[in-house]
Amino acid sequence: MPLTDAVLKNIQQKIENVELISEANEVGSVIESADGIARIKGLSSALNGELLEFPGKIYGTIFNLEKEEIVCAILENHTKVKEGAWVKRTGHVIGISVGKSMLGRVLNPMGDPLDGLGPLVTDAVIPLERPAPGVVDREPVRVPLQTGYKVVDALVPIGRGQRELIIGDRQTGKTTLAVDTIISQKNTGVISVYVAVGQKESTVVKLRHQLETQDALQNTIIIDAPASAPAIEQYLAPFVGCAIAEYFMYEHKKDTLVIYDDLSKHAAAYRHISLLMRRPPGREAYPGDIFYLHSRLLERAAKLSQRLGGGSMTALPIIETQGNDIAAYIPTNVISITDGQIFLEADLFNSGVRPAVNAGISVSRVGGSAQIKAIRQISGTLRIDLAQYHEKEAFSMFSSELDKETLRQLHTGATMVELLKQDKNKPLPIEEQVVSIFAGVRELLSDIPVAKILAFEAALLEHIRAKYRDILEDIQRTKELTPELAETLQSVIENYKKEFGNVAAVSH
Ligand code: ATP
Ligand code: MG
């Protein structure tokens, strides 16, 4: 049928006559309430995700619309919702009040402060879920988001707007890497949101303290749904963090970084809720839509077009593996939704390689184009050095006679592995990383014993900061290593080596 004026008018009239909330269906009643889940009859026109109100200003959100009943998760004070109680539609989806005053605060997923620093001043309410920006609203990832870790920024670079997974077993440094990335943002204008799901309260208190002492708390918001919180709060927390980052990205045109620590516990919370709702369990007892849930969340990371203000949201989801098994259900799901992964390995961690990044299998599919040229110029050699080292390392164990070239490669590789180690809470600005890696790939460190590499690096950087600030500033400004700059840097390092040799000799 052609869209004539008459047809359009007819459609318009029909739209105007639809009432969003029909009076007859507005109030229903609770037929069962247990474990934070309420089953409701009535409210036949309610929508999935809609917020419902119970007596005493208690709210719940709809998860399942079934033929006979509605299943809803109660947000707070669920024990007060009794069988037979009334329940009303609100006509709204679940949202959160937001404002700039959230910066520096620790909040629960309802937006209530947990840090005892008084109430928040908010200026808008935004939905927890909103569609991800489409292709025309996005721009390619071009600006780096530096973690401050040499091994990551050189070999697995992250760009603003990217989704990079941090994955590894328990106690392999996942949280430390994420938190140090926040610390690295302190002078960049990037706003960070750290979402803690199912962690100990003491862990989050420590983390807040760390950010505060490193001057990074004022640009950070912490959303905490600890292990002791109801599953529904743990389920909502990542969406709350994402919505807050979106608010800063869209309304304030900011670059944002959001960390989900971790999505394994988030998946477990969702499984728990779904089983209580008696939804049919799927693989590993997770509900069938768990993949969709995580993809919906992570797709909202973006680099926005200039028309939308050019802000961005970089997402670093964290996944905990069991026994390095990255092929389990939730890890494979999240691997397939992200733009790359940083693998942290317990073996490396325990042998003292920290951060325990397995550079051979970690990847970043979009970050390379965001890397500054100076790092790109030297990271190629670094990658080759490491690859040759790992290849030769394996067979050198079985061979007693090695040729000179193999010995050289082994030594260079061992030097590089040592040089890429980095203590926690000491992120390095990119220009200093360039100096360190340059010294390594130019083989200027080959005559320094491996055990002394890190001490030399620290002293060299201190020396350059004190006497050759212009070199650092040049790299910062031009973002590349011109042949002249490389030459100057090389002679500064060589000269300093003599000085360091004397200092080292004296200190013996
Ligand atoms: P969990 O699985 O318990 O969440 P995780 O993988 O998040 O652990 P972290 O808590 O970040 O690991 O780190 C584990 C321990 O290793 C901590 O004590 C941390 O201080 C230490 N650690 C992490 N990274 C480094 C590093 N680069 N240098 C020195 N110590 C580190
Ligand atoms: Mg952790």
Side-chain angles (χ1 to χ4, degrees):
M1 186 167 41
L3 274 180
T4 61
D5 279 357
V7 174
L8 282 174
K9 202 155 177 217
N10 194 337
I11 294 174
Q12 195 174 358
Q13 268 174 358
K14 280 197 176 135
I15 292 172
E16 280 165 3
N17 287 337
V18 173
E19 280 181 30
L20 274 182
I21 295 183
S22 122
E23 288 297 322
N25 295 326
E26 209 190 346
V27 183
S29 66
V30 175
I31 47 178
E32 189 188 316
S33 171
D35 304 317
I37 309 293
R39 294 175 181 276
I40 292 157
K41 69 169 193 262
L43 303 187
S44 57
S45 55
L47 305 170
N48 220 347
E50 187 173 337
L51 206 59
L52 301 179
E53 185 185 339
F54 298 92
K57 291 246 171 271
I58 295 174
Y59 292 91
T61 176
I62 299 180
F63 264 75
N64 267 17
L65 291 170
E66 292 165 13
K67 227 176 183 171
E68 302 293 325
E69 59 185 33
I70 287 173
V71 189
C72 144
I74 303 165
L75 300 180
E76 282 173 303
N77 294 324
H78 66 83
T79 50
K80 294 197 182 131
V81 174
K82 306 284 185 212
E83 209 178 298
W86 57 258
V87 48
K88 281 196 288 197
R89 287 188 64 185
T90 62
H92 299 290
V93 292
I94 184 164
I96 181 154
S97 303
V98 288
K100 277 189 145 175
S101 67
M102 293 174 127
L103 290 167
R105 303 299 304 268
V106 184
L107 311 169
N108 74 9
M110 308 298 146
D112 302 323
L114 296 174
D115 50 12
L117 297 177
L120 291 174
V121 185
T122 54
D123 52 34
V125 178
I126 52 166
L128 291 198
E129 296 231 26
R130 77 162 111 178
V135 178
V136 292
D137 297 330
R138 293 178 186 252
E139 265 181 11
V141 169
R142 267 195 229 108
V143 183
L145 185 121
Q146 280 133 4
T147 64
Y149 278 104
K150 288 165 281 184
V151 62
V152 178
D153 294 345
L155 297 173
V156 218
I158 302 170
R160 293 187 183 178
Q162 182 174 348
R163 300 158 300 179
E164 182 81 9
L165 170 63
I166 299 174
I167 184 165
D169 281 4
R170 289 207 57 235
Q171 291 286 301
T172 48
K174 304 183 296 296
T175 301
T176 305
L177 172 56
V179 170
D180 283 348
T181 305
I182 296 184
I183 294 172
S184 276
Q185 307 312 311
K186 69 179 167 190
N187 298 320
T188 61
V190 172
I191 304 246
S192 305
V193 182
Y194 175 82
V195 181
V197 182
Q199 301 202 33
K200 281 188 287 190
E201 268 149 281
S202 59
T203 312
V204 177
V205 168
K206 256 194 252 161
L207 190 144
R208 178 191 178 281
H209 178 72
Q210 211 164 53
L211 292 175
E212 192 172 28
T213 48
Q214 300 247 11
D215 274 342
L217 187 63
Q218 69 259 33
N219 295 325
T220 308
I221 298 153
I222 299 176
I223 301 298
D224 187 17
S228 56
I232 182 70
E233 284 194 25
Q234 298 184 40
Y235 163 80
L236 291 174
F239 291 95
V240 171
C242 181
I244 294 171
E246 258 169 357
Y247 161 74
F248 283 99
M249 167 172 81
Y250 285 112
E251 306 305 324
H252 296 286
K253 307 179 178 23
K254 289 282 190 185
D255 286 313
T256 65
L257 163 68
V258 53
I259 288 155
Y260 305 113
D261 193 359
D262 60 48
L263 290 187
S264 309
K265 295 196 187 75
H266 181 243
Y270 187 45
R271 172 167 64 185
H272 181 78
I273 297 171
S274 299
L275 292 175
L276 286 175
M277 287 182 176
R278 295 177 222 137
R279 283 176 160 191
R283 215 175 127 185
E284 292 180 25
Y286 289 105
D289 61 349
I290 184 83
F291 177 83
Y292 175 55
L293 181 80
H294 284 160
S295 64
R296 220 161 64 209
L297 174 72
L298 292 170
E299 268 187 358
R300 288 155 75 184
K303 165 73 185 144
L304 292 183
S305 67
Q306 292 307 313
R307 193 177 55 83
L308 290 180
S312 67
M313 186 201 306
T314 307
L316 300 182
I318 295 178
I319 285 282
E320 180 188 310
T321 48
Q322 317 281 338
N324 248 341
D325 183 11
I326 54 170
Y329 183 42
I330 300 297
T332 39
N333 276 356
V334 182
I335 285 172
S336 71
I337 306 166
T338 44
D339 309 303
Q341 310 83 41
I342 298 173
F343 287 103
L344 299 176
E345 283 190 359
D347 285 351
L348 288 173
F349 189 87
N350 296 332
S351 66
V353 179
R354 300 178 189 181
V357 175
N358 180 330
I361 56 171
S362 295
V363 285
S364 171
R365 281 184 275 276
V366 294
S369 49
Q371 222 172 11
I372 68 163
K373 193 173 167 200
I375 277 277
R376 227 179 309 147
Q377 285 171 299
I378 50 186
S379 60
T381 320
L382 174 62
R383 196 179 293 279
I384 295 167
D385 283 349
L386 286 173
Q388 284 177 342
Y389 173 62
H390 290 303
E391 188 190 315
K392 301 268 153 76
E393 193 191 18
F395 83 72
S396 69
M397 282 193 277
F398 304 104
S399 152
S400 51
E401 279 175 35
L402 297 170
D403 61 79
K404 230 172 149 191
E405 176 58 13
T406 305
L407 283 171
R408 190 194 64 79
Q409 286 174 349
L410 282 171
H411 182 66
T412 308
T415 303
M416 293 315 307
V417 168
E418 190 65 19
L419 189 61
L420 291 177
K421 290 182 187 170
Q422 202 169 330
D423 201 7
K424 63 181 172 180
N425 307 139
K426 294 205 179 93
L428 284 180
I430 200 76
E431 59 279 7
E432 296 187 6
Q433 297 186 32
V434 169
V435 169
S436 287
I437 297 171
F438 174 84
V441 296
R442 281 280 174 114
E443 304 198 11
L444 301 175
L445 308 178
S446 55
D447 47 355
I448 296 178
V450 170
K452 289 221 172 104
I453 292 286
L454 290 178
F456 176 78
E457 183 206 21
L460 172 71
L461 289 176
E462 202 43 61
H463 173 72
I464 293 187
R465 275 179 216 130
K467 304 227 170 97
Y468 296 95
R469 185 136 278 284
D470 52 324
I471 296 184
L472 298 175
E473 282 163 2
D474 272 357
I475 303 174
Q476 214 175 23
R477 193 169 34 87
T478 62
K479 299 190 167 39
E480 64 175 309
L481 262 182
T482 54
E484 303 82 63
L485 194 55
E487 207 172 302
T488 315
L489 188 53
Q490 176 151 352
S491 67
V492 166
I493 296 171
E494 275 168 346
N495 287 333
Y496 183 66
K497 223 163 43 175
K498 292 178 204 143
E499 209 175 296
F500 180 79
N502 294 339
V503 174
V506 170
S507 67
H508 263 90

